């Protein structure tokens, strides 16, 4: 444990008024969701195709049933609950010191914990749309479907998530960039910072305090004021807010 660093983090939080949190899969692993690149992560799963291929725009349309077999097995967890990291960030927003969460996750756990200003860079598994009539469906429709989920009109339902070969939503990107640019403190947690263009957004930070909370090294460690290598739920859950 790196608990000797916790008082420094608390001091930074106490001195900040415009905090932005930028997070990845590691934020949700303490809720029971798998990450992507660890030894037991999603990208080390054994399927007929590599996960990067399955989670691509072209594969969705050419092998829709196989896409959904992987997607429902590996990316949908309807019963998962937020952990202390999610709840602490929601508390920070309510206290008026956190202005936004920018997340690479599609699980919706930040909103479930109470966060309101959340920029979901890769979309949300909770939003799904019929490709034919554009009717919206909740995640439960996908999770409980057999084979390819279809609308009553007969159209295929597609998750509103960003797949490989797809483009990030420019309005969400603009909101995230605006928040990060306005922040006096940027806390980056639970992310390897290897996924672009999302990871490149932290380059817009011009504030005073850059904090990295991740169990593995990242490309931004050298420029961070504070680096903590403990589980993020443990770290954020130890903070005193308000």
């Amino acid at each position: 444990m790196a608990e000797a660093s916790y008082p420094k983090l608390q001091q930074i939080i106490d001195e900040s008024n415009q905090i932005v949190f930028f997070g990845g899969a590691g934020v949700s692993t303490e809720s029971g969701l798998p990450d992507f690149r660890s030894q037991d992560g999603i990208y080390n799963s054994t399927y007929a195709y590599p996960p990067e291929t399955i989670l691509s725009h072209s594969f969705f349309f050419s092998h829709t049933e196989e896409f959904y077999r992987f997607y429902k097995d590996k990316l949908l967890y309807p019963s998962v609950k937020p952990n202390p990291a999610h709840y602490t960030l929601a508390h920070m927003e309510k206290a008026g010191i956190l202005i936004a969460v920018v997340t690479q996750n599609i699980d919706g756990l930040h909103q479930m914990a109470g966060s309101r200003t959340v920029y979901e860079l890769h979309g949300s598994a909770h939003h799904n749309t019929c490709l034919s009539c554009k009717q919206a469906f909740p995640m439960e429709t996908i999770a409980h479907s057999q084979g390819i989920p279809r609308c009553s009109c007969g159209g295929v339902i597609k998750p509103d998530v960003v797949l490989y070969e797809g483009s990030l939503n420019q309005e969400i990107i603009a909101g995230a960039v605006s928040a990060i640019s306005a922040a006096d403190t940027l806390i980056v947690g639970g992310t390897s910072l290897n996924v672009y263009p999302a990871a490149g957004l932290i380059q817009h930070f011009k504030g005073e305090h850059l904090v990295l909370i991740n169990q593995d090294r990242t490309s931004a460690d050298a420029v961070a004021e504070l680096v903590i290598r403990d589980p993020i739920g443990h770290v954020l859950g130890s903070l005193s807010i308000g």
Side-chain angles (χ1 to χ4, degrees):
M1 293 290 182
E3 293 187 358
S5 301
Y6 291 15
K8 176 62 175 177
L9 176 61
Q10 183 70 61
Q11 180 185 354
I12 291 173
I13 298 297
D14 292 343
E15 294 175 352
S16 302
N17 299 303
Q18 297 266 102
I19 301 172
V20 168
F21 177 80
F22 181 97
V27 179
S28 297
T29 54
E30 289 171 72
S31 291
L33 273 71
D35 64 4
F36 285 82
R37 290 178 171 79
S38 70
Q39 182 175 349
D40 299 318
I42 289 172
Y43 284 177
N44 288 310
S45 303
T46 301
Y47 274 78
Y49 302 88
E52 294 93 333
T53 299
I54 298 173
L55 295 174
S56 67
H57 187 266
S58 57
F59 192 90
F60 174 84
F61 287 100
S62 63
H63 298 76
T64 309
E65 188 166 2
E66 181 68 9
F67 169 90
Y68 267 117
R69 189 173 76 85
F70 180 89
Y71 181 78
K72 287 187 275 189
D73 184 33
K74 293 296 183 180
L75 294 178
L76 291 190
Y77 293 83
S79 62
V80 74
K81 302 297 182 185
N83 65 55
H86 300 104
Y87 286 116
T88 299
L89 292 167
H91 190 188
M92 290 168 64
E93 182 182 32
K94 188 175 182 180
I97 60 173
L98 184 139
I99 60 174
V101 168
V102 180
T103 180
Q104 296 170 281
N105 298 336
I106 64 172
D107 51 49
L109 291 179
H110 287 291
Q111 293 92 328
M112 197 180 300
S115 290
R116 296 190 175 187
T117 304
V118 182
Y119 295 103
E120 296 175 302
L121 300 176
H122 296 150
S124 173
H126 291 270
H127 302 146
N128 305 273
T129 305
C130 171
L131 293 175
S132 297
C133 72
K134 307 307 178 185
Q135 181 178 342
F137 293 89
M139 179 175 66
E140 288 72 21
T141 298
I142 307 299
H144 299 147
S145 65
Q146 298 295 320
I148 300 173
R150 292 186 179 274
C151 175
S152 58
C153 78
V156 173
I157 302 171
K158 181 181 179 297
D160 295 340
V161 299
V162 178
L163 301 175
Y164 288 103
E165 305 165 353
S167 300
L168 302 185
N169 183 296
Q170 291 306 303
E171 288 186 13
I172 292 175
I173 290 292
V177 168
S178 177
I180 292 171
S181 299
D184 54 15
T185 294
L186 178 62
I187 302 174
V188 178
T191 174
S192 62
L193 292 177
N194 286 330
V195 178
Y196 286 82
L201 296 183
I202 70 168
Q203 297 174 6
H204 294 277
F205 177 62
K206 305 176 181 67
E208 185 175 355
H209 306 290
L210 176 60
V211 177
L212 267 294
I213 306 171
N214 198 57
Q215 297 200 69
D216 298 316
R217 298 187 66 84
T218 78
S219 58
D221 285 9
V223 296
E225 176 181 353
L226 180 64
V227 177
I228 300 177
R229 299 208 190 284
D230 282 349
I232 191 165
H234 182 83
V235 177
L236 295 186
S238 72
L239 294 172
S240 175
I241 307 298

